Amino acid sequence: MTAGLLLRPRSGAATADRLARSAAAAEGAGMVTGDVPAWLGSRRRAHAARVRRIPFAELDGWSFEAGTGDLRHRSGRFFSVEGLHVTRPDGEWRQPIIVQPEIGILGILAKEFGGVLHFLMQAKMEPGNPNLVQLSPTVQATRSNYTKAHGGATVRYLEHFLRPDPDQVLTDVLQSEHGSWFHRKRNRNMIVEAAGDVPDHDDFRWLTLGQLGALLHEDNLVNMDARTVLGSAPMTHPERTALTPDDGLLSWFTGERARRDVDARRIPLREATGWHRDADSVHRADGRFFRVVAVAVEGSAREVSSWTQPLFEPAGRGIVGFAYRRFGGVPHVLVHARVEGGFLDTAELGPTVQYTPENYAHLPPAERPPFLDLMLGMPPARIRYAAVHSEEGGRFRDAESRYLIAETDESTTPAAAPPGYQWVTPGQLNRLARHSHYVNVQARTLLAVLNTHPAGGPV
């Protein structure tokens, strides 16, 4: 009955080896790495998009519902801005939240040139990016976009990701987005190898992982959606030992999730007490955290050339960082079991530090978040990686964070990690990121840096 069936290896070692060879390729068969910023600039000038703040009254198709106060599109598609009530043992709060139940596609197309995998990256305009055009995945689209709810053009190269041949899939995992601003938002993070010829387009270029690793050192160049896909890739990391074995790490994290008592429920936006709405924004009186604003986009090269929409605008630039140490010569980073109200589960593994300093400036040092002041005051000689990256430009306006990997020591980050924190190797974190809801989007950005520099690092 089973005669003739072909059994194949369970391990993805061959894929990891191919990705490692691509990460080792500092240049590729296409564009020179140093020419990428100028190319992005040329695409920005070619499309000449303009984004401007507008009052809510000028939103086209968006309105606040009379009963709930929720901000919705008349089509019922895209997303809505509602309220969220989060209750924890240490307190409660209410806030606006983006509700977007659709699962989008973040897909990078791969193809071998000269025996080395290259990845098709797009110069994509997003209205919330501070420089508008950044390097993005081949396909970056919500279901509303690729089913043309906006009445616009077809998403280019989408056919490679809708029903891919399993033998061509290099990675495919549902990942969360920002749990502080999205309610249970997930995207399908994919890398799919092309089976045949791929037509060229002026807005797309083939790059190796090594080139992408170099570009991750540039400010506001590789967008969040590309970073999360690269952070989910099944890379090979050289370490074979760790402070905590894999089974112990999983047990620790399961325990962290089990002990967190979090109740997060959607409420009407008008019930988000402490938040105020005027003609131009939804905001807190003290100006902390973020505000909801509206923008008009004109002259875009997107599927639709002009539109209006709400965006979340943070109170200041964030700082996101891993503390890094070697134990027995093996690199480790300090992760935090982080609770965010919008997560599908109670917690995901985040960086050591993930905060906007302005939100805590009023607190005395003893009450500020752990390790925040350590990262803010890190001497340059200790910083192994630093770059400013913007967050999701399709939903957030000028949302930037300074991403760091910084070498620490026993006096500042002891080997016996405090409650809620754990030392993990890059390889352990990479293995967990191949599964849903283990590693948050900010940690996946830093993991993308480690993945594209697989020699051990960090960087």
Side-chain angles (χ1 to χ4, degrees):
M1 191 126 180
T2 60
L5 288 179
L6 175 64
L7 297 180
R8 292 177 289 183
R10 291 177 56 222
S11 170
T15 295
D17 288 345
R18 297 174 72 203
L19 291 170
R21 287 196 297 273
S22 183
E27 296 293 347
M31 177 170 282
V32 174
T33 307
D35 291 343
V36 173
W39 170 66
L40 288 174
S42 72
R43 303 320 300 158
R44 188 178 303 116
R45 292 188 296 274
H47 300 307
R50 177 173 176 245
V51 179
R52 59 186 175 87
R53 279 279 307 276
I54 59 173
F56 289 130
E58 292 184 20
L59 283 170
D60 181 15
W62 295 85
S63 62
F64 292 96
E65 288 187 336
T68 64
D70 295 344
L71 182 54
R72 298 182 182 276
H73 193 265
R74 64 186 169 212
S75 68
R77 305 291 295 276
F78 305 111
F79 64 95
S80 60
V81 180
E82 304 177 19
L84 187 73
H85 184 195
V86 182
T87 305
R88 296 170 49 178
D90 58 350
E92 64 175 304
W93 71 90
R94 300 183 182 212
Q95 65 168 90
I97 197 81
I98 298 171
V99 178
Q100 186 175 340
E102 302 176 340
I103 294 177
I105 293 176
L106 305 179
I108 297 180
L109 196 61
K111 187 175 177 62
E112 277 197 2
F113 296 96
V116 176
L117 280 173
H118 289 60
F119 302 87
L120 189 60
M121 308 303 294
Q122 178 183 181
K124 187 177 182 68
M125 192 287 294
E126 294 179 282
N129 286 339
N131 54 356
L132 291 183
V133 177
Q134 296 185 14
L135 208 59
S136 83
T138 317
V139 167
Q140 177 184 319
T142 65
R143 187 183 299 273
S144 289
N145 288 143
Y146 67 73
T147 57
K148 303 183 185 180
H150 46 45
T154 300
V155 175
R156 197 175 299 274
Y157 306 115
L158 177 65
E159 67 275 8
H160 293 277
F161 302 95
L162 289 179
R163 292 178 182 82
D165 180 341
D167 289 339
Q168 302 299 121
V169 175
L170 305 185
T171 188
D172 190 356
V173 57
L174 288 177
Q175 298 284 23
S176 65
E177 288 205 27
H178 298 73
S180 294
W181 293 341
F182 279 110
H183 182 262
R184 300 185 175 184
K185 177 71 174 74
R186 298 178 295 166
N187 280 318
R188 192 175 179 185
N189 288 229
M190 308 175 72
I191 301 176
V192 176
E193 189 169 3
D197 292 336
V198 178
D200 294 332
H201 188 274
D202 288 343
D203 287 337
F204 295 79
R205 291 292 185 271
W206 293 100
L207 300 169
T208 68
L209 276 187
Q211 291 181 284
L212 291 170
L215 295 169
L216 281 167
H217 286 256
E218 302 293 330
D219 291 350
N220 285 322
L221 197 150
V222 181
N223 83 350
M224 185 220 77
D225 300 281
R227 300 192 310 263
T228 178
V229 177
L230 297 175
S232 303
M235 297 297 296
T236 298
H237 290 268
E239 75 269 0
R240 294 294 177 264
T241 57
L243 274 183
T244 304
D246 291 358
D247 289 344
L249 175 60
L250 282 171
S251 179
W252 167 79
F253 187 47
T254 300
E256 288 293 314
R257 282 178 158 174
R259 74 178 181 83
R260 307 299 179 107
D261 188 8
V262 181
D263 176 40
R265 59 184 180 88
R266 288 158 60 183
I267 59 173
L269 182 58
R270 63 177 173 78
E271 294 181 12
T273 52
W275 294 80
H276 309 278
R277 189 180 104 204
D278 59 24
D280 299 300
S281 69
V282 178
H283 59 275
R284 285 171 53 105
D286 60 12
R288 294 167 65 205
F289 302 113
F290 63 91
R291 57 182 177 171
V292 184
V293 300
V295 298
V297 184
E298 300 162 353
S300 163
R302 297 277 295 267
E303 294 81 15
V304 174
S305 61
S306 62
W307 72 92
T308 63
Q309 69 169 92
L311 291 172
F312 277 30
E313 184 177 74
R317 176 182 286 181
I319 183 166
V320 177
F322 271 145
Y324 161 79
R325 291 184 64 186
R326 285 182 177 268
F327 300 102
V330 178
H332 287 70
V333 293
L334 187 63
V335 296
H336 179 204
R338 182 177 172 87
V339 174
E340 298 181 25
F343 282 156
L344 185 64
D345 210 328
T346 55
E348 295 188 13
L349 295 177
T352 316
V353 165
Q354 180 190 315
Y355 301 106
T356 300
E358 285 84 349
N359 292 334
Y360 305 93
H362 64 291
L363 296 175
E367 297 179 21
R368 287 159 64 83
F371 307 113
L372 174 58
D373 291 326
L374 171 69
M375 284 291 179
L376 288 173
M378 189 60 62
R382 292 268 187 162
I383 296 174
R384 298 292 175 258
Y385 170 82
V388 174
H389 294 302
S390 52
E391 306 301 335
E392 219 283 4
R395 298 292 177 264
F396 313 139
R397 184 172 190 265
D398 291 340
E400 295 179 307
S401 294
R402 185 174 187 237
Y403 280 82
L404 302 173
I405 300 175
E407 189 171 2
T408 57
D409 54 34
E410 185 67 18
S411 67
T412 55
T413 53
Y421 293 81
Q422 184 69 278
W423 290 103
V424 304
T425 70
Q428 287 178 311
L429 194 61
N430 180 253
R431 183 176 294 274
L432 292 174
R434 300 180 204 179
H435 304 277
S436 303
H437 311 304
Y438 276 95
V439 181
N440 81 353
V441 67
Q442 288 87 351
R444 293 197 302 275
T445 281
L446 292 171
L447 184 55
V449 174
L450 298 172
N451 277 351
T452 52
H453 295 79
V459 298

